[in-house]
Amino acid sequence: MHVRTHFLIPFFLCFLPAYTVAQQAFLYKAQVGPVAASGYHRIELPPDLVGRLHEGLGDIRLYDGRKREIPYVMTRQTGVQATAFITYEVVRKTNVPNVSTTIVVKRPSRQPITALGVESQNTEVEKKATLSGSHDGNVWYALDDGIRLGNNTNATTTATLQTITFPLTDYTYFRLVVNDSTSAPLNIRRIGNYGQTNASAHYTPIPGLQFTQHDSSDHYTYLVLNRPSPARIDRLTIHVSNPAQFRRQAAFGHKFTETVARKRHQRPVLRQSFDPLIPFTLSSTGDTTITLPSVLTEKLCLRIANNDDAPLRVGRINAAQVTTYLTANLQAATTYQLQFGSMLAPGPVYDLAFFNDQLSGTLPIASVSNLTNWSGSPLSTSADESTDPFEFHQIALWVAILGIILLMGVMTYRMLTGMTREQQDA
């Protein structure tokens, strides 16, 4: 007795990856472009999009009209400290033909230094120069009278940076005099030095933030934050309308409501608790802005300790996210699509990430529009949140399970029918 059921195996296996596919499917989409000219563009991501990405922000893909995946580099303008060439201010530049060129520069700080960088156009001409320093720009003191500039070429750029070294000094002004008695002057483009620069973070406002204020009997004020659709908050600014002078200890955290069981025949009671995450001082003489670690707008709360003072009157609270954008090579007159929002989609790996330093500078901006869920409903309200990602994957799982159960039932029925027929034939 043998019942042939191997022909059903392909149908059985087709259900196995159903849940995995559902987990990696993107829930939302948006339109990018078209752009006026081909080349690299910045695609700035709005708060309604960033709020629907998972914690690593890697569940987003860019596709062209032919459904081809377009590589990108994601940048968050968080502000960093870096070493960069700092160009000094040119206070005076004079040229006496066939005699000399004199350049006076001013440093932005009094931090002692031991070198200057002089960038000049490539040349094979060498010139003698002298360097002196001054605290006020009027009285000058010698630093080096044996400098040789020029006679340098660069095969990859049109200019070369030469370093002039000298003893440690804190002069504010420097004067460079180049001898031009034997040839035309050098094309000196800038003078400066390498130093630490602090790039400020850039923020994008998050509209639609709402809050309710509750002044509790325990001498605390609770500000419960909410927004119709999710967003990732990196900064909050609290505007207090009254009183004019205040200094209160505050904390940012989560507020919970829990049911506490009581004795038999007594109704349970609701108890609220607060879990502080980030303490800070709210002061009229200081900054009323708090920086957050990119938190989602879910069960967020600010707690202000009033002590014996009257509660503060908060007029408004402004939220912002760190400006987040994708850099990608876009073609003119082409519409692109962003797909985003997935529980398990891994972050993409593109070669473009290794060339990010070559994509810096001012780039044209490509707009993002028409944010919708997969069925095409706009994401401007909380209506799209009725299909929660977790709920979506749960539904997909149950569909796959029911499909497998149904298939197994059909297989069992056919096996039993085959056995019955074989017994009747016997």
Side-chain angles (χ1 to χ4, degrees):
M1 179 181 65
H2 178 68
V3 180
R4 291 182 297 176
T5 58
H6 61 275
F7 64 91
L8 293 175
I9 293 178
F11 297 95
F12 176 77
L13 293 178
C14 73
F15 285 94
L16 294 181
Y19 182 47
T20 302
V21 172
Q23 284 179 311
Q24 296 181 356
F26 295 103
L27 302 179
Y28 312 107
K29 54 187 176 180
Q31 180 177 312
V32 178
V35 297
S38 300
Y40 284 98
H41 286 71
R42 283 178 47 168
I43 306 172
E44 296 195 356
L45 305 181
D48 284 333
L49 189 156
V50 176
R52 290 173 172 84
L53 300 180
H54 64 50
E55 187 174 355
L57 308 184
D59 54 329
I60 182 170
R61 300 293 185 272
L62 176 65
Y63 298 98
D64 64 9
R66 299 171 62 181
K67 306 301 181 183
R68 294 177 301 185
E69 188 169 340
I70 306 301
Y72 68 80
V73 174
M74 177 178 285
T75 301
R76 284 173 55 81
Q77 295 184 280
T78 55
V80 295
Q81 187 179 68
T83 300
F85 187 85
I86 302 173
T87 302
Y88 294 165
E89 175 190 357
V90 177
V91 177
R92 183 173 67 257
K93 182 177 182 179
T94 58
N95 174 255
V96 180
N98 301 320
V99 179
S100 65
T101 297
T102 302
I103 303 176
V104 177
V105 297
K106 180 181 179 181
R107 291 199 302 140
S109 70
R110 293 290 298 273
Q111 186 72 24
I113 61 174
T114 60
L116 279 181
V118 179
E119 184 182 86
S120 59
Q121 200 82 7
N122 288 341
T123 179
E124 292 186 351
V125 175
E126 184 177 82
K127 290 179 175 289
K128 295 181 180 180
T130 61
L131 182 69
S132 53
S134 172
H135 291 297
D136 57 7
N138 296 313
V139 181
W140 297 94
Y141 303 94
L143 280 174
D144 193 342
D145 62 357
I147 302 171
R148 293 185 178 274
L149 294 177
N151 193 19
N152 55 74
T153 58
N154 193 316
T156 58
T157 63
T158 60
T160 302
L161 184 67
Q162 293 180 264
T163 301
I164 303 173
T165 60
F166 41 79
L168 185 67
T169 185
D170 63 351
Y171 290 128
T172 302
Y173 297 87
F174 290 90
R175 181 177 64 185
L176 180 68
V177 181
V178 184
N179 187 343
D180 294 332
S181 60
T182 59
S183 63
L186 298 177
N187 183 5
I188 297 177
R189 298 167 57 166
R190 58 177 178 167
I191 298 176
N193 198 10
Y194 284 95
Q196 293 292 323
T197 60
N198 294 310
S200 300
H202 290 238
Y203 291 92
T204 300
I206 299 176
L209 185 71
Q210 303 169 355
F211 73 95
T212 56
Q213 178 171 341
H214 173 64
D215 301 319
S216 177
S217 58
D218 60 358
H219 298 280
Y220 284 103
T221 290
Y222 295 91
L223 303 172
V224 181
L225 312 179
N226 63 83
R227 189 173 186 265
S229 57
R232 289 191 174 275
I233 300 178
D234 295 294
R235 186 178 68 178
L236 282 176
T237 302
I238 301 97
H239 300 271
V240 178
S241 57
N242 189 52
Q245 296 178 328
F246 58 88
R247 182 180 175 85
R248 310 281 172 93
Q249 296 303 311
F252 171 85
H254 297 287
K255 189 175 183 181
F256 300 97
T257 301
E258 56 184 349
T259 302
V260 180
R262 305 178 69 185
K263 295 181 179 180
R264 192 175 181 181
H265 305 304
Q266 291 183 335
R267 298 179 60 183
V269 296
L270 297 179
R271 185 175 64 186
Q272 294 184 338
S273 59
F274 179 78
D275 181 20
L277 299 178
I278 303 176
F280 65 101
T281 300
L282 193 62
S283 173
S284 57
T285 59
D287 195 0
T288 59
T289 297
I290 173 177
T291 302
L292 303 176
S294 191
V295 296
L296 283 172
T297 49
E298 297 176 351
K299 299 180 181 178
L300 304 184
C301 183
L302 293 171
R303 186 181 69 178
I304 304 171
N306 297 315
N307 296 321
D308 294 326
D309 289 303
L312 299 179
R313 294 292 98 191
V314 178
R316 70 182 189 276
I317 300 177
N318 293 338
Q321 72 173 25
V322 170
T323 299
T324 305
Y325 61 89
L326 308 181
T327 302
N329 191 5
L330 306 181
Q331 300 301 309
T334 301
T335 300
Y336 295 84
Q337 186 181 82
L338 288 172
Q339 297 182 14
F340 58 98
S342 174
M343 294 287 287
L344 293 180
V349 179
Y350 301 124
D351 292 343
L352 192 61
F354 296 98
F355 305 95
N356 190 29
D357 57 338
Q358 301 179 19
L359 306 177
S360 59
T362 303
L363 295 175
I365 297 176
S367 61
V368 176
S369 60
N370 297 334
L371 276 69
T372 67
N373 59 23
W374 206 252
S375 64
S377 300
L379 301 186
S380 57
T381 66
S382 59
D384 66 285
E385 300 307 320
S386 60
T387 305
D388 182 74
F390 181 77
E391 180 182 351
F392 173 84
H393 300 310
Q394 290 286 85
I395 294 174
L397 175 60
W398 281 111
V399 169
I401 292 175
L402 291 176
I404 293 173
I405 293 174
L406 178 62
L407 182 58
M408 292 180 66
V410 172
M411 293 174 63
T412 303
Y413 172 78
R414 291 192 176 185
M415 290 175 63
L416 294 175
T417 303
M419 293 171 62
T420 301
R421 288 178 179 176
E422 289 186 3
Q423 290 175 355
Q424 291 176 351
D425 295 340

